[in-house]
């Protein structure tokens, strides 16, 4: 089986932390992120082999109980998604920059995977819930036509979309802030 990414989102910080502990003890997964997000929620992101991530997700959902807000499992996730979730991408943003914004954290992660599989683009970042009012957004770059195709594919196949934009030839000051 290929690499996968899984996420649980709880509306209890204490229950989210407890679920995280159970998840990483129950399966051989890499803890990608475990943190509070706006507005007072907690997310746990894990990665690894699909079967291991699936097992971790099951225990995480069980421990979360009635505090579970959302969950996500993407089997065969594109490797760029894992890097972009960390915000540790080194890119050469020539061409265009695209932004896809969601009300849902899970939708942002799912959109990143769809976008990078739909066109030859580079993910810059997948930001989930940090100082953005509980929203999630994806930034990506590449040739104008590829960015358009990636943004359109992701917007068409995900839920809770807020808005999108494609910026051909973005100003260098903007690029500095995005990178």
């Amino acid at each position: 089986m290929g690499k996968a990414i899984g996420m649980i989102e709880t509306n209890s910080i204490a229950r989210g932390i407890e679920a995280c502990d159970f998840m990483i003890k129950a399966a051989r997964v890499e803890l990608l992120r475990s943190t509070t997000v706006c507005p007072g929620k907690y997310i746990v992101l894990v990665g690894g082999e699909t079967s291991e991530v699936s097992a971790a997700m099951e225990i995480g959902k069980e421990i979360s109980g009635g505090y579970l807000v959302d969950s996500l499992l993407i089997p065969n996730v594109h490797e760029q998604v894992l890097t972009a979730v960390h915000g540790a991408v080194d890119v050469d943003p020539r061409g265009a920059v695209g932004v896809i914004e969601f009300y849902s954290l899970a939708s942002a992660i799912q959109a990143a995977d769809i976008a990078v599989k739909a066109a030859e683009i580079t993910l810059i970042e997948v930001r989930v819930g940090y100082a953005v009012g509980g929203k999630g957004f994806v930034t990506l770059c590449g040739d104008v036509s590829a960015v358009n195709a990636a943004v359109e594919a992701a917007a068409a196949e995900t839920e809770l979309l807020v808005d999108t934009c494609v910026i051909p030839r973005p100003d260098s000051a903007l690029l500095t802030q995005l990178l």
Side-chain angles (χ1 to χ4, degrees), residues 66-133:
Y67 296 101
L68 184 68
V69 173
D70 202 357
S71 66
L72 170 73
L73 174 65
I74 302 176
N76 301 313
V77 69
H78 194 283
E79 66 236 15
Q80 281 194 52
V81 175
L82 299 172
T83 308
V85 165
H86 286 298
V89 178
D90 186 25
V91 297
D92 180 10
R94 296 183 193 167
V97 168
V99 181
I100 316 165
E101 178 186 4
F102 297 91
Y103 288 114
S104 163
L105 309 179
S107 291
I109 296 169
Q110 183 180 26
D113 190 58
I114 292 166
V116 75
K117 289 176 178 174
E120 197 166 318
I121 54 96
T122 301
L123 295 174
I124 298 171
E125 182 181 19
V126 179
R127 185 165 312 166
V128 287
Y130 309 110
V132 290

Side-chain angles (χ1 to χ4, degrees), residues 144-160:
V144 175
S145 61
V147 170
N148 275 319
V151 168
E152 287 174 13
E157 295 183 42
T158 51
E159 297 178 350
L160 300 174

Side-chain angles (χ1 to χ4, degrees), residues 89-98 121-124 139-144 147 167-179:
V89 178
D90 186 25
V91 297
D92 180 10
R94 296 183 193 167
V97 168
I121 54 96
T122 301
L123 295 174
I124 298 171
T139 52
L140 52 96
C141 62
D143 293 336
V144 175
V147 170
I167 304 168
R169 297 176 313 282
D171 188 273
S172 62
L174 172 61
L175 289 175
T176 300
Q177 293 300 309
L178 291 176
L179 305 175

